[in-house]
Amino acid sequence: MARPKVIPTGKEIAWNDEDIIVSKTDLKGKITYANNVFEQLAQFSSEELVGEPHNIIRHPDMPRCVFKLLWDTLEQKEEIFAYVINMAKNGDHYWVFAHVTPSFDNNGNVVGYHSNRRKPKPEQIAKVKGLYALLKAEEDKYQSPKDGMQAATDLLLKILKDKNISYDEFVFSI
């Protein structure tokens, strides 16, 4: 059954600095585990989350090129850190600083992904919002989502090159 389209409310969900959101997914990004903090913030039950694609909480203001970078990095069997705005079931939102890593079996094969997310500081969110708005505007210039995502990825890489820093250096400088 298709879920009804959720409209962002513009209301940010307050959550505790000490809380950690944890989730695990399979290789396709379908949720296999969600802790209670994730369930509470996303406003979904475990039954509603497990088996669903992790993008069930994707906020429409989140640039797709950041997820492309995330998946490209994970495919290289590397970890990645990223700031993400998520949307709860009712349309409210919450920001996270995500650490996503591949999960390996005993033979070194990737069998899924694990993510821990913490609450970023307001000043970090303020720095990220401007960049994400710029990237999202670039994506939206294109009729093709794929072309828009590539153009925004190219823009992000140009920004990083102009600053002479890697993506990781950029994320940790915020």
Side-chain angles (χ1 to χ4, degrees):
M1 175 192 275
R3 293 195 183 278
K5 184 174 179 171
V6 179
I7 306 297
T9 63
K11 180 182 173 200
E12 186 165 359
I13 299 171
W15 58 297
N16 294 324
D17 293 344
E18 301 81 30
D19 285 344
I20 300 174
I21 301 169
V22 179
S23 61
K24 295 179 183 180
T25 69
D26 65 14
L27 293 172
K28 302 252 186 220
K30 289 191 177 181
I31 299 168
T32 59
Y33 171 80
N35 74 344
N36 290 339
V37 178
F38 185 15
E39 292 173 19
Q40 290 167 4
L41 285 170
Q43 301 171 1
F44 285 101
S45 68
S46 177
E47 294 77 21
E48 292 173 301
L49 288 170
V50 173
E52 291 296 319
H54 208 286
N55 68 7
I56 191 172
I57 57 168
R58 184 181 182 279
H59 193 286
D61 290 345
M62 186 65 199
R64 293 173 62 240
C65 67
V66 175
F67 292 119
K68 178 182 182 339
L69 177 64
L70 182 142
W71 282 107
D72 289 350
T73 302
L74 291 173
E75 285 177 9
Q76 299 297 314
K77 297 184 177 184
E78 296 177 10
E79 68 183 350
I80 188 166
F81 291 84
Y83 291 92
V84 178
I85 182 171
N86 290 320
M87 188 165 64
K89 185 177 181 180
N90 71 347
D92 293 351
H93 68 274
Y94 57 99
W95 282 90
V96 300
F97 183 57
H99 176 214
V100 187
T101 62
S103 299
F104 299 95
D105 66 13
N106 291 337
N107 297 320
N109 299 309
V110 177
V111 294
Y113 304 99
H114 181 274
S115 179
N116 292 320
R117 294 165 317 274
R118 292 187 173 274
K119 181 180 176 181
K121 293 177 172 62
E123 57 271 18
Q124 293 169 314
I125 295 169
K127 290 179 183 177
V128 171
K129 274 185 178 180
L131 173 63
Y132 282 12
L134 182 70
L135 297 173
K136 184 73 170 94
E138 185 67 21
E139 288 179 355
D140 291 346
K141 289 180 186 176
Y142 294 80
Q143 200 165 2
S144 160
K146 185 178 178 181
D147 291 345
M149 184 171 54
Q150 187 59 56
T153 299
D154 293 345
L155 176 59
L156 175 59
L157 295 175
K158 181 185 180 323
I159 290 168
L160 294 173
K161 183 179 179 187
D162 290 349
K163 292 180 180 274
N164 198 31
I165 59 173
S166 70
Y167 173 79
D168 287 343
E169 290 170 321
F170 170 72
V171 166
F172 286 110
S173 72
I174 295 177

